[in-house]
Amino acid sequence: MSTFDFLSGNTDIDSFIEKQNKYKSLKRADLDSVPKEEIVLAVTCWIEGKFNEEWSDMAKVINGLPTPCLNLYCADYVTKEIMNGGFSQAFFNTSRDFIGAGAEGFRALGYEKADEVIERALKINFDSVKPTGRSIEDFFALSENSDYDELDKEFHSLFDDEKFTALAYDYIMRYKKYFGDEN
C-alpha cells in the first residue's frame, strides 16, 4: 500500500500499516486468496516492501523487476501521480522514462485509452522547453504550465478504478509466476 493510498483518505493509519505489513511478504501461492479489489494493493505493497526504508534504492529495485511486475507497478504509480496532481506533478515527481513505462504498463494491461493520453502528455513534455528537474523554480514552472490541462481532464474522465483493477487482476493471474515470493 503506497503512501498515496493512505494520503488519499481512503483508509485509517492502523489499516494502512496492517495491510502494508501483510502484503509486503506476499507469497505467490497466496495470490488466489487475495480479494480481487485488493490485488493491486497486494502486489504494489509486495514490490514496495523490497525498497529500503528511505526508498533510495527504488530505481534499482524497479529496474530489477520482471516485466509484468514493472508494467503493473508503473501503471499504478503513474496513475496515482496523475490523479493526485495531474501530469505536471507526475513529470516533476518522476521521469519521462517512468511515465513511459506507465504507458507501456497500460498497453500491457489492455487499457489503451489511458496509454494514449499518457503518450500525448509525453509528446508535449518532449516537445516542451520547460524544465523537468527538481528545483523550486522547476516546480513553479511545471505547476503554472497549462499544456496538460485538457489531458488531465481527459485522463480523470476516462480512468475507471474498477476497470483498472479488473484488468490488473486478469494480468496478475495470467503472469502470476512473477508476482509474490516463492513459498
Side-chain angles (χ1 to χ4, degrees):
M1 175 178 287
S2 74
T3 305
F4 284 110
D5 296 309
F6 175 68
L7 294 177
S8 70
N10 295 335
T11 190
D12 63 76
I13 188 70
D14 293 330
S15 178
F16 172 79
I17 292 169
E18 180 183 330
K19 287 183 180 179
Q20 196 174 40
N21 288 332
K22 174 183 175 183
Y23 290 130
K24 74 179 177 184
S25 59
L26 181 69
K27 302 289 185 227
R28 198 166 294 145
D30 296 334
L31 283 170
D32 290 325
S33 65
V34 174
K36 188 174 188 173
E37 64 274 2
E38 287 188 12
I39 196 72
V40 174
L41 168 70
V43 298
T44 57
C45 284
W46 168 70
I47 291 168
E48 291 172 354
K50 297 180 178 312
F51 304 161
N52 65 25
E53 191 172 319
E54 301 83 31
W55 286 33
S56 60
D57 64 345
M58 180 183 181
K60 180 181 175 187
V61 171
I62 289 173
N63 284 330
L65 291 173
T67 301
C69 298
L70 179 71
N71 286 337
L72 180 80
Y73 188 78
C74 291
D76 182 62
Y77 192 93
V78 168
T79 296
K80 289 174 181 173
E81 287 283 357
I82 296 166
M83 297 301 279
N84 182 266
F87 282 101
S88 290
Q89 175 178 305
F91 282 109
F92 184 79
N93 288 342
T94 62
S95 68
R96 290 175 180 155
D97 290 340
F98 198 94
I99 293 171
E104 178 60 33
F106 275 106
R107 272 192 298 279
L109 292 172
Y111 208 142
E112 290 86 11
K113 290 186 186 224
D115 157 52
E116 292 167 9
V117 175
I118 295 170
E119 288 292 346
R120 292 199 320 265
L122 280 164
K123 181 167 179 7
I124 288 170
N125 190 268
F126 275 115
D127 293 346
S128 171
V129 294
K130 293 178 178 48
T132 58
R134 299 280 193 250
S135 71
I136 192 69
E137 292 85 9
D138 293 346
F139 172 76
F140 287 125
L142 281 167
S143 64
E144 294 170 357
N145 182 356
S146 62
D147 293 346
Y148 304 113
D149 289 354
E150 290 303 313
L151 293 176
D152 290 342
K153 289 176 190 170
E154 188 176 346
F155 191 87
H156 278 263
S157 69
L158 78 81
F159 183 80
D160 180 270
D161 194 51
E162 288 181 23
K163 178 178 179 176
F164 180 78
T165 299
L167 290 169
Y169 182 84
D170 293 343
Y171 185 78
I172 291 164
M173 291 303 144
R174 186 172 350 139
Y175 295 105
K176 71 173 19 173
K177 70 180 183 181
Y178 298 107
F179 292 95
D181 295 321
E182 291 185 51
N183 298 333

